[in-house]
Amino acid sequence: MIVADRWNDYEVLDCTDGEKLERWDRYILLRPDPQVIWKTKRRSKEWKKLNAHYHRSSRGGGEWEFFDLPEEWTIKYHLPEEGITGSDEVTFNLKPFSFKHTGVFPEQAANWDYIFTTIKNELEKRRKEKGDNAEVKALNLFAYTGGATLAAAMAGAKVAHLDASKGMVGWAKENAMSSGLGDAPIRWLVDDCVKFVEREIRRGNKYDVIIMDPPSYGRGPKGEIWKMESSIYDFIKLTEQILSDDAVLYLINMYTTGLSPAVLDYMISEEIIRKHGGEVHCEDIGLPVRDTGLILPCGSTARWTKS
C-alpha cells in the first residue's frame, strides 16, 4: 500500500463505527468514512475535544455540527525538497463545505510527492540535454482544489488545471497564491474533461504528464454526466492520444468501490503500455492511524512511468 505518512499538519487519530477522527492543524474534526466498517474501542482522548462533527443522514447527504471552528483556516505540506520558489512548502486554504469535505484529500500527499519528484528530475535531465528552455507540460484533470497542480508547478512544470466546477478552480487559484505560485505558468480551466480532451486531440496538443482524480459520479458545467464504471476506460483511451512521445508520467487516482488496483493495471497496460512502453505500478493508497498503528485505506492509485 502507498502510505501518505509525511504530514505535520494533518493526521488520522482514530477510526471506528463508520467515522474517522482527524487533526487538521490544531482543529479536531469527526467525519464519516465508508471504509470504517469495524466497531472497536475509542482510543483517542480527542474524541472529547471536537471542533466540528459531520453527521451523515440516513436519507443521504448530511450536515455539519460546529463547536469551535473558524470559517476558514490553512494547513501546509512539505514536499520532498525545494521547488522553483525556493520553498518546499505548499499551502491549502480549508473550509468545511457540502458532503463532509474540507478542500483537501490528505492521502493524495503521497501522489504529490511522486509527481513533484518525477517532474523535477525529468526537467533537470531535459535542461542538461536541451538547455534552459526545455519544459515539461502537465495536465491535471478533475483537478479539484489543486494539490497535484501545486506539486507539478512547484517542480517547474507548465500546468493546465481543469475542473468542471468554477468554484473549485477559484479555490485552487487561492491555494496557488498562498503557496507562492501566483506567477507560475498555470492555465486555470473550467470545462468538461471529456470535451476538453477531445478538443486537444483535434488541436494536436500533447502533454508529458497527465494526472486525473475522477469522481465516481459527476456532472460537467453543462450537465454532462460522468459515471466511473462506464466512462473510465474510454477516457483512458481518449487521454492516451494526448500523451506525448516523451511522456514521463500518467497517474490515475480513484475512490470508486469495486474498482481495484488490478482493474487499473489492466486498463493502463492495454491502452498506455501497449502504445508507449514503460511500466505501471498500481496499489491501494492510505493514511496511518496514530492510535491504532494501522493504515486506513483511501482508494487506489495507478502510476505509469516511461522508465
Side-chain angles (χ1 to χ4, degrees):
M1 181 180 286
I2 300 167
V3 182
D5 58 1
R6 296 185 55 254
W7 278 100
N8 294 320
D9 284 2
Y10 172 85
E11 59 184 336
V12 179
L13 306 173
D14 198 4
C15 50
T16 185
D17 199 14
E19 294 183 306
K20 60 184 174 185
L21 184 69
E22 306 163 291
R23 178 183 65 81
W24 298 79
D25 190 23
R26 62 184 181 275
Y27 301 109
I28 307 300
L29 274 57
L30 182 59
R31 299 190 298 157
D33 191 308
Q35 296 284 350
V36 183
I37 61 174
W38 50 89
K39 296 182 181 181
T40 52
K41 179 182 177 181
R42 292 183 173 188
R43 294 174 171 86
S44 304
K45 63 182 183 297
E46 288 89 352
W47 284 99
K48 298 179 180 180
K49 300 179 180 180
L50 300 183
N51 294 101
H53 183 185
Y54 187 90
H55 299 274
R56 174 165 284 178
S57 169
S58 59
R59 299 183 300 274
E63 62 180 2
W64 285 97
E65 179 183 10
F66 298 110
F67 305 108
D68 183 19
L69 187 72
E71 291 184 4
E72 291 192 31
W73 74 104
T74 63
I75 61 172
K76 299 181 185 297
Y77 182 75
H78 293 271
L79 293 163
E81 55 184 303
E82 290 184 355
I84 59 168
T85 65
S87 170
D88 67 347
E89 190 176 84
V90 290
T91 299
F92 297 95
N93 299 282
L94 304 183
K95 54 189 173 184
F97 73 110
S98 62
F99 198 64
K100 77 179 181 179
H101 297 310
T102 62
V104 171
F105 289 95
E107 62 276 6
Q108 289 306 311
N111 280 331
W112 305 335
D113 288 350
Y114 193 80
I115 291 163
F116 176 87
T117 301
T118 301
I119 292 174
K120 187 172 184 182
N121 290 343
E122 179 65 19
L123 196 53
E124 289 175 355
K125 174 187 171 185
R126 291 185 182 190
R127 286 176 176 169
K128 286 179 182 178
E129 295 173 350
K130 302 177 183 179
D132 291 341
N133 291 328
E135 63 184 28
V136 171
K137 292 178 62 180
L139 173 62
N140 187 14
L141 298 162
F142 309 97
Y144 195 53
T145 59
T149 294
L150 301 184
M154 189 71 83
K158 291 186 174 180
V159 187
H161 172 108
L162 191 149
D163 198 276
S165 168
K166 184 177 180 181
M168 289 299 113
V169 173
W171 196 339
K173 283 184 184 180
E174 293 176 10
N175 289 338
M177 292 291 292
S178 298
S179 301
L181 294 167
D183 295 325
I186 304 172
R187 286 193 296 152
W188 303 104
L189 304 165
V190 179
D191 205 342
D192 175 72
C193 289
V194 174
K195 290 184 177 179
F196 174 82
V197 172
E198 288 172 343
R199 289 197 299 273
E200 291 293 83
I201 292 169
R202 293 195 294 269
R203 290 187 284 240
N205 289 334
K206 303 277 186 176
Y207 295 88
D208 306 305
V209 174
I210 296 177
I211 304 158
M212 68 179 82
D213 192 356
S216 297
Y217 180 85
R219 289 184 180 272
K222 295 183 180 179
E224 301 91 343
I225 294 175
W226 167 277
K227 188 175 181 181
M228 177 70 79
E229 291 90 339
S230 58
S231 302
I232 187 61
Y233 183 65
D234 287 340
F235 194 61
I236 290 172
K237 291 178 66 175
L238 203 63
T239 51
E240 181 278 323
Q241 297 178 62
I242 59 171
L243 200 60
S244 74
D245 292 338
D246 296 322
V248 292
L249 177 61
Y250 186 96
L251 188 149
I252 302 178
N253 188 81
M254 64 172 60
Y255 294 96
T256 303
T257 303
L259 293 183
S260 69
V263 173
L264 282 172
D265 189 304
Y266 192 94
M267 291 188 292
I268 291 176
S269 295
E270 282 293 305
E271 294 302 325
I272 306 297
I273 293 177
R274 190 179 293 273
K275 298 169 184 175
H276 296 267
E279 59 189 23
V280 63
H281 180 66
C282 303
E283 281 198 59
D284 290 326
I285 192 166
L287 288 162
V289 182
R290 187 194 69 183
D291 291 339
T292 67
L294 302 177
I295 305 298
L296 177 65
C298 302
S300 56
T301 288
R303 301 167 174 175
W304 171 88
T305 55
K306 198 62 171 284
S307 60

